Amino acid sequence: MVQRKRKNGSATLFDGEDLHEYYRFLLKEYPDVLEVKKVSEITGYAIPIINRWCNKGKVKYFSIRAMNMIPKIYLIDFFCSNAFR
């Protein structure tokens, strides 16, 4: 469960499915597959950190011309995981 604040200051909890929906909403304008550079811009984490997530199997990815590409749905799964939070 994750806690978030409402505008009136009260807190609400939401489960994994709600969290997936929340991240799907936040990332709806982004393409279905993201370059590591774009994930870095979204998250604020450095590119080497994101590549480390990929190389350690924390987030599913594939490589094209030695560039890691992360499908958005797998990035959302990672955001919802305990490893990320």
Side-chain angles (χ1 to χ4, degrees):
M1 296 289 224
V2 176
Q3 189 175 29
R4 66 179 169 193
K5 296 271 185 177
R6 292 183 180 149
K7 287 183 182 179
N8 67 7
S10 66
T12 182
L13 296 177
F14 55 104
D15 63 19
E17 185 56 37
D18 289 338
L19 192 55
H20 268 262
E21 258 183 61
Y22 174 71
Y23 283 121
R24 280 193 294 269
F25 174 77
L26 287 180
L27 298 175
K28 69 182 179 185
E29 300 299 322
Y30 292 95
D32 289 337
V33 178
L34 301 161
E35 296 177 5
V36 167
K37 182 178 178 182
K38 183 56 76 176
V39 175
S40 175
E41 291 171 15
I42 292 168
T43 62
Y45 284 93
I47 290 171
I49 299 295
I50 297 163
N51 282 322
R52 190 175 313 141
W53 295 342
C54 294
N55 296 333
K56 290 190 175 230
K58 293 184 178 187
V59 64
K60 293 180 185 178
Y61 73 100
F62 59 91
S63 292
I64 296 179
R65 298 184 188 139
M67 187 179 344
N68 291 340
M69 305 293 289
I70 303 172
K72 184 167 57 176
I73 191 66
Y74 294 140
L75 183 63
I76 291 170
D77 286 345
F78 178 62
F79 286 168
C80 295
S81 73
N82 288 333
F84 182 73
R85 291 186 277 135

